[in-house]
Amino acid sequence: MNQLKEKEIYRERGYTDDLLPKSEEQRTWKTFNYFTLWMGSVHNVPNYLMVGGFFILGLSTVNIMFAIILSAFCIALVMVMNGAAGSKYGIPFSMLLRASYGIKGSLFPGILRGCIAAIMWFGLQCFTGSLALLILIGKLWPKFLNIGNGETYFGVTIPAFIVFIIFWAMNVAIGLGGGSVLNKLTAILNPCIYILFGGMAIWSISLVGIQPILDYIPNGVVEAPSKVFFFFIVINSVVAVWAAPAVNASDFTQYSTSFKQQAIGQTSGLLVAYILFAISSVCILAGASIHYGVDTWNVLDIVQKWDSLYASLFAVIVILMATISTNAAGNIIPAGYQIAALYPSKLTYRHGVIIASIISVIIMPWKLIENQDSIYTFLDIIGGILGPVIGVMLSHYFIVMRCKINLNVLYTRSGDYKFYEHGFNITAFVVTVIAVIFSLGGKFISILEPISRVSWFAGVILAFVLYSFLKKDTSKVTEQNVKVNEAPTVSAKIQHN
């Protein structure tokens, strides 16, 4: 009853149900749900393209696999820890961000992650997934590929655009269904992922043998001045892919029955997924490159060369499902919540999904994968910008607030910005800007170039340390400065526990 009364108070203050703390009845996700959540997100076309780029760095196949597996530990740690508040209080990312940056201040990092990064990634994943669907349609209906006689409009052919819209609509439908639909999809998807990519790895090994794969060195490899530094570049690149999902981890942990459930589930799921990915991606790309006599970085190019229609059909369907899973969990769901948070009294999660989906078409996402350099530049920038946001959020929750959030303060009345001056946490903004400049400075200042190659780590570490130092004596700021009608029922009990 107390929970219901508190929610009603928050509704009166202008918050929709999508943004309210989840009740015990809504928090049903357990270890297995989180174990399966991210497996499909690991195996997607952009990730395989990224691994292809690792070969160019001059690292051995064993070193690449080891670096990818180490990356999984880093990813799991950040996902679990930044999702801790969500699993404890049942609140989504957009509300948790307010605690760190202020009600108005949260709009900038929120838009950066939930709108800009998420929408760009959503469009990119939709387009790369549509290329897989185009391969399938081309095998079943070859004449479809001749529509428009190869003419391109805004950089894409008519058949490619038609298939992109079809696949885009499928992703939007899953996004509108939210977390419950995503859970059902991942339950079907994960066994298929093991079958497909495990089978492709075995196929590659059977073609050329394991030793040639382990000894593989591609043409035009870069002579690394420091193999150790390049090793960390690989780790940074893999982790940077998760820079955006790591920021909004609480969008998924808000449904968790406990911190332990989400911690065990996410950690074990990511480790298993990345061990499989490390082995399969290296074996598939290296084995196919040796077999076909040409360096092959795109898993879709391999599928397209298969003679078996049934094998191609199964591979494309699994890749499509994996792409949809990635898009829903990492992109369209957080975009929907964040856009809703911009105008919480009028916009719902579904409105946010629709708005984000439309924008993802307008930005012409196929431009993001015109070449491999554009993808890595995008990853460096996203990692360098979102890394500092994660650092501030972790420091604020664990160091400054000591894992305690007053929900009555957090869900303050719309327009009441007292718990930070004018609704902004100036310290969080200053730290974020400093860390962003530092982590991305190498894009403009040559002496800082090595730092920009590990932009995510640089941003997270600097922001965490700097914010912890500057805010160490202000942990009670929200308790002292907000004067709203007290309704401490559930939030007080949570803090006491």
Side-chain angles (χ1 to χ4, degrees):
M1 187 64 179
N2 288 337
Q3 231 176 17
L4 294 175
K5 286 183 178 179
E6 188 170 79
K7 281 193 171 185
E8 189 57 39
I9 291 174
Y10 298 159
R11 289 190 186 98
E12 291 175 359
R13 294 177 183 175
Y15 296 93
T16 63
D17 287 348
D18 294 322
L19 301 177
L20 296 180
K22 301 301 176 287
S23 64
E24 290 184 8
E25 293 75 17
Q26 293 173 298
R27 299 173 68 176
T28 59
W29 289 26
K30 297 184 178 181
T31 299
F32 183 74
N33 299 109
Y34 289 101
F35 178 80
T36 61
L37 179 61
W38 301 114
M39 285 193 171
S41 302
V42 173
H43 294 274
N44 57 74
V45 177
N47 271 2
Y48 276 85
L49 287 171
M50 179 180 63
V51 173
F54 295 159
F55 282 107
I56 303 299
L57 295 178
L59 297 176
S60 68
T61 52
V62 174
N63 281 336
I64 292 175
M65 286 190 284
F66 185 50
I68 292 173
I69 294 172
L70 281 181
S71 302
F73 285 94
C74 299
I75 296 166
L77 177 64
V78 176
M79 295 293 289
V80 169
M81 300 310 291
N82 210 34
S87 61
K88 182 176 182 179
Y89 295 101
I91 57 177
F93 153 71
S94 55
M95 296 305 301
L96 180 60
L97 199 61
R98 289 184 170 200
S100 303
Y101 285 85
I103 295 178
K104 293 176 69 176
S106 66
L107 293 180
F108 173 68
I111 290 173
L112 185 65
R113 189 285 172 251
C115 298
I116 298 175
I119 291 173
M120 291 179 71
W121 268 115
F122 179 74
L124 175 63
Q125 292 283 9
C126 280
F127 183 68
T128 56
S130 71
L131 294 178
L133 183 58
L134 186 63
I135 290 174
L136 179 59
I137 294 176
K139 286 181 176 289
L140 298 174
W141 183 16
K143 290 185 179 179
F144 176 79
L145 302 179
N146 296 327
I147 296 176
N149 297 319
E151 290 291 329
T152 61
Y153 299 91
F154 302 104
V156 67
T157 64
I158 292 178
F161 184 75
I162 293 174
V163 175
F164 166 69
I165 293 297
I166 294 172
F167 188 63
W168 168 86
M170 294 167 61
N171 280 264
V172 174
I174 296 295
L176 290 172
S180 59
V181 175
L182 177 61
N183 252 327
K184 295 176 182 178
L185 176 65
T186 55
I188 300 171
L189 170 64
N190 293 318
C192 297
I193 285 179
Y194 281 100
I195 294 171
L196 173 62
F197 292 103
M200 289 184 71
I202 294 172
W203 167 78
S204 297
I205 294 172
S206 67
L207 287 176
V208 301
I210 188 64
Q211 195 59 47
I213 289 176
L214 295 178
D215 296 336
Y216 172 69
I217 298 177
N219 297 319
V221 67
V222 174
E223 187 63 34
S226 172
K227 293 290 181 70
V228 174
F229 181 62
F230 274 21
F231 185 83
F232 283 103
I233 288 177
V234 170
I235 296 177
N236 183 80
S237 297
V238 177
V239 176
V241 171
W242 292 83
V247 170
N248 69 286
S250 57
D251 277 343
F252 303 97
T253 58
Q254 65 178 322
Y255 298 107
S256 178
T257 56
S258 69
F259 172 81
K260 181 179 178 180
Q261 297 283 340
Q262 67 97 354
I264 296 175
Q266 290 201 93
T267 301
S268 57
L270 284 165
L271 289 179
V272 170
Y274 263 107
I275 289 173
L276 173 63
F277 174 75
I279 297 172
S280 63
S281 62
V282 169
C283 289
I284 291 169
L285 296 179
S289 297
I290 295 170
H291 175 67
Y292 293 116
V294 59
D295 292 334
T296 305
W297 309 137
N298 193 335
V299 69
L300 294 179
D301 292 337
I302 299 172
V303 173
Q304 192 170 23
K305 293 175 181 178
W306 288 352
D307 295 327
S308 173
L309 177 61
Y310 295 107
S312 298
L313 176 63
F314 177 72
V316 168
I317 290 175
V318 173
I319 291 173
L320 292 177
M321 291 175 64
T323 303
I324 291 175
S325 174
T326 302
N327 244 355
N331 301 320
I332 197 63
I333 288 178
Y337 278 119
Q338 186 55 45
I339 291 177
L342 297 178
Y343 200 177
S345 61
K346 298 294 182 182
L347 294 178
T348 66
Y349 165 76
R350 293 175 66 86
H351 292 146
V353 168
I354 293 172
I355 293 170
S357 302
I358 293 173
I359 296 174
S360 72
V361 177
I362 296 174
I363 64 173
M364 297 186 290
W366 45 88
K367 294 290 186 181
L368 295 175
I369 57 171
E370 285 184 316
N371 56 69
Q372 211 167 44
D373 288 339
S374 62
I375 295 176
Y376 283 111
T377 299
F378 174 68
L379 282 176
D380 285 343
I381 293 174
I382 291 298
I385 292 176
L386 294 184
V389 175
I390 296 173
V392 168
M393 292 178 70
L394 290 174
S395 173
H396 186 84
Y397 182 67
F398 287 101
I399 305 300
V400 178
M401 298 304 295
R402 300 178 184 178
C403 304
K404 294 181 180 180
I405 297 176
N406 188 320
L407 296 185
N408 190 56
V409 168
L410 187 63
Y411 287 86
T412 188
R413 191 175 302 279
S414 179
D416 188 345
Y417 305 128
K418 293 180 181 178
F419 73 91
Y420 288 114
E421 187 174 355
H422 305 301
F424 288 92
N425 181 354
I426 301 301
T427 304
F429 260 82
V430 171
V431 168
T432 302
V433 171
I434 292 174
V436 167
I437 293 174
F438 178 75
S439 59
L440 293 180
K443 299 293 181 183
F444 313 99
I445 304 173
S446 59
I447 195 173
L448 296 177
E449 196 272 339
I451 295 175
S452 69
R453 301 295 298 273
V454 289
S455 59
W456 187 88
F457 283 105
V460 170
I461 294 172
L462 179 61
F464 184 90
V465 173
L466 192 57
Y467 188 81
S468 298
F469 175 76
L470 294 176
K471 296 288 286 186
K472 62 182 179 180
D473 295 323
T474 60
S475 62
K476 295 183 179 180
V477 62
T478 58
E479 306 289 345
Q480 296 171 346
N481 295 346
V482 181
K483 303 298 181 182
V484 293
N485 295 327
E486 291 296 327
T489 55
V490 176
S491 55
K493 291 181 179 180
I494 291 175
Q495 288 191 45
H496 177 72
N497 294 334

